[in-house]
Structure formats: structure tokens, C-alpha cells
Amino acid sequence: MANTNTPFGFRQYKGTGSAPTYEQNVMYIASGNTTKIFFGDAVVPVTGSATGYIAQATASTVALAGIFVGCKYLSTSQKRTVWSNYWPGADATGDVEAYVVSDPNAQFVVQAGGTNVGFSKIGQNIQLNVGTGNTASGISGMYVETPATTATLPFRITGLVSDPPGSNGTDITAAYNLVIVQFNNSLARASGAQTGIS
């Protein structure tokens, strides 16, 4: 069965914590940040910010802060606290409390782009692509592409998903297959340095 192009961002696969919260840490999004951040998006520290704000990551070599898995904020329009699996880019009074998986041991399942990421690419690093998030479900549209040995790419390929056979993404010889990755260039694991890795 051919894989279909249905990216969903970075979905927790394993780590040192346990489901459903895994290794979430609280970080903050500035209320004036109008860029949507979806569940499963990689996030980065805001450049030049001394206050710890994060923003949606783009394809770059900036060290990641982690993977966004939801937020809480005081809604300006609803006059109440809202818990959401994505940041809609508006409607917050004050800073947004974001929940981010940042543990350096965490691993994630993510979809490859239009070029197959095969068995021979395990151990290489790989770049992310933002894609298009889903505002109805709040789910990310991020995926990965272009494996390379470049030390500053954000993720490292640790495996491929092949089970259950016939499921979408499990054909490891075709495009849009599912890849298992871990942080490579993150605040806790800068450029493969493995700071804090057990």
C-alpha cells in the first residue's frame, strides 16, 4: 500500500517520562505573537529574548526548545481561561503558558516528505519543514526531509516505522513514510553534543 501525504508534526514515541504528559515543561509565548503554533510543532527560543519566549520553528539550524503540545491562556474575547492544543495566534490577555516536551532523551514519530527516507539514512540528521497546520483539529503539519550529515540539523534519524504492515506510512521504500527521530540540535542537545543524555 502506498503511503499518503498526511503530516501530523512530531508525535511522542518514547522518552524518560510516561504518557500522557511525558516530559512537558512550561514555557511562554508572547501574547503579541501572531504566528499559530500547532500540537506537534517544533518550537525555538525567540531570538534576542531574555524572557524565555518561544515561537514556531522554521527550517533552520537554530537550536530547538522542544515540541509544543498545548497551551493555556486568558481569552480576551471569552473572559475565561482557555486550554487549547494549539496557539491560534491571537486572543490572549497576557503571556500564553505553553507546554513543551524538551527532554533530550525523547523520541518522536514524524512523516517524511515527498522523498523516501530509507533504512540507509538511519543515523543521519534531518531538517524539518513547517507544512500547514490544521486549525480545526489544532494538529501540526510539520514533516521532515533532506537527510544529511550536517551537525546542526534539528533532528537525528533513529529508526523507521514498519508496523503494522499495510498501515499508512509503514512502506519504508516509498515517499511519505514514518520516521523515528530524536533531538540533535536542541537547547539540551546542541549539534549532537548530547548534553544531559543518559
Side-chain angles (χ1 to χ4, degrees):
M1 179 178 122
N3 302 322
T4 58
N5 184 18
T6 54
F8 49 80
F10 297 88
R11 182 183 299 156
Q12 184 87 38
Y13 176 70
K14 68 166 64 172
T16 53
S18 58
T21 58
Y22 289 103
E23 306 84 9
Q24 293 178 21
N25 289 307
V26 173
M27 298 183 184
Y28 292 93
I29 303 167
S31 60
N33 181 346
T34 59
T35 301
K36 296 175 177 64
I37 305 176
F38 295 88
F39 185 95
D41 274 356
V43 290
V44 293
V46 173
T47 303
S49 173
T51 55
Y53 290 129
I54 58 169
Q56 185 188 58
T58 58
S60 71
T61 56
V62 175
L64 299 177
I67 303 299
F68 178 84
V69 290
C71 62
K72 177 180 78 170
Y73 58 92
L74 178 60
S75 167
T76 304
S77 63
Q78 299 179 55
K79 305 293 188 287
R80 65 180 181 87
T81 298
V82 170
W83 283 265
S84 177
N85 68 335
Y86 90 111
W87 164 237
D91 194 36
T93 299
D95 293 340
V96 178
E97 185 174 292
Y99 308 113
V100 177
V101 176
S102 59
D103 179 68
N105 292 297
Q107 294 186 39
F108 305 90
V109 173
V110 62
Q111 187 176 69
T115 301
N116 168 252
V117 176
F119 189 79
S120 65
K121 302 302 182 182
I122 294 174
Q124 290 191 15
N125 300 328
I126 195 163
Q127 183 59 272
L128 65 84
N129 191 302
V130 174
T132 304
N134 186 322
T135 56
S137 67
I139 301 298
S140 171
M142 284 191 177
Y143 56 95
V144 292
E145 59 185 352
T146 319
T149 58
T150 309
T152 52
L153 291 178
F155 294 96
R156 177 166 295 162
I157 302 165
T158 60
L160 305 175
V161 176
S162 57
D163 291 319
S167 295
N168 183 41
T170 60
D171 182 351
I172 65 172
T173 64
Y176 310 122
N177 64 305
L178 298 181
V179 181
I180 302 169
V181 298
Q182 64 186 32
F183 294 124
N184 177 60
N185 189 12
S186 71
L187 297 182
R189 186 185 184 122
S191 302
Q194 301 188 17
T195 305
I197 303 298
S198 58

